[in-house]
Amino acid sequence: RSQMAEAWLRQLSGGKVRSLSAGTKPVGINPLAIASMSQVGIDISAQSSDNISAYLSDPPDVIIAVCDRAGENCPSFPGATQVLSWPFPDPAHAEGSEAAVAAIFAQVRDDIRTRITAWLDAGAPPLNLASSTRTERV
């Protein structure tokens, strides 16, 4: 989810937001996430997910937690870092036929895009991008 969100945020913000993927217990990128994003013309095969602790000394402006576990386990950051909790189901746990699992990945992919689009359309609070031209790191 975080790699999909990273790519959507980078693309949909038009360069206003520098995004990255990090987690409390990061794992490698799921090949099904790569395939799902490829279906919409976005290549995430070279992306990775870092451990969030790598950003304690230079924290981002906003952290978007895409799963409940990340929101609960996210470390405290000094300064003005805000944590937004946007939980999405983990498609890596999907079961069923190959087509059914692919459909679940596509649904999560599309739900992430919809949520990011709405956030950006609202000015990406608390970044207030509607009135700013600076690039923020999320």
Side-chain angles (χ1 to χ4, degrees):
R1 291 162 293 183
S2 68
Q3 287 96 353
M4 289 190 282
E6 173 187 350
W8 278 128
L9 190 51
R10 183 175 37 256
Q11 181 182 29
L12 296 171
S13 73
K16 288 185 177 181
V17 178
R18 189 180 113 208
S19 59
L20 53 90
S21 176
T24 55
K25 294 180 182 175
V27 296
I29 190 162
N30 189 308
L32 295 174
I34 293 171
S36 184
M37 292 299 285
S38 179
Q39 292 172 349
V40 293
I42 299 174
D43 180 10
I44 63 171
S45 62
Q47 289 181 195
S48 64
S49 185
D50 302 321
N51 192 297
I52 193 83
S53 63
Y55 301 99
L56 288 173
S57 63
D58 184 21
D61 297 307
V62 175
I63 294 172
I64 300 172
V66 294
C67 68
D68 290 330
R69 184 182 50 78
E72 293 167 1
N73 296 318
C74 195
S76 295
F77 284 89
T81 297
Q82 294 202 15
V83 178
L84 305 176
S85 181
W86 297 354
F88 294 97
D90 188 349
H93 296 301
E95 296 180 357
S97 69
E98 188 176 314
V101 172
I104 292 169
F105 267 86
Q107 182 64 55
V108 172
R109 175 201 68 210
D110 295 345
D111 289 348
I112 291 171
R113 179 186 180 157
T114 298
R115 182 65 179 97
I116 289 173
T117 298
W119 183 65
L120 291 169
D121 287 349
L127 299 178
N128 300 316
L129 291 182
S131 62
S132 172
T133 58
R134 68 185 180 143
T135 301
E136 303 290 348
R137 190 173 68 151
V138 179

